[in-house]
Amino acid sequence: MSCGLGVGQMVPDFKLETFEPSKGDFGEISLETLKANKKWTILFFYPADFTFV
């Protein structure tokens, strides 16, 4: 799925399941929460990063 966003464009809100190793527990984070807490967010994508070559 490609949403056709470019550098500097606004990203739609999303939620991700996370794992916090220091707590040993799963949680959830969303872009909305990061924005509300004034956190910087960098999104990157490597399409072939985990392929077997």
Side-chain angles (χ1 to χ4, degrees):
M1 183 174 137
S2 175
C3 58
L5 294 174
V7 174
Q9 289 184 308
M10 297 297 291
V11 176
D13 191 29
F14 60 87
K15 291 182 181 181
L16 297 173
E17 185 176 349
T18 61
F19 180 74
E20 181 60 50
S22 63
K23 295 179 184 176
D25 196 14
F26 288 91
E28 188 175 85
I29 191 72
S30 71
L31 185 59
E32 181 180 6
T33 302
L34 294 170
K35 286 180 180 180
N37 292 327
K38 307 276 189 207
K39 300 287 184 180
W40 283 67
T41 306
I42 299 172
L43 303 173
F44 59 92
F45 176 69
Y46 289 100
D49 198 28
F50 298 106
T51 59
F52 296 102
V53 179

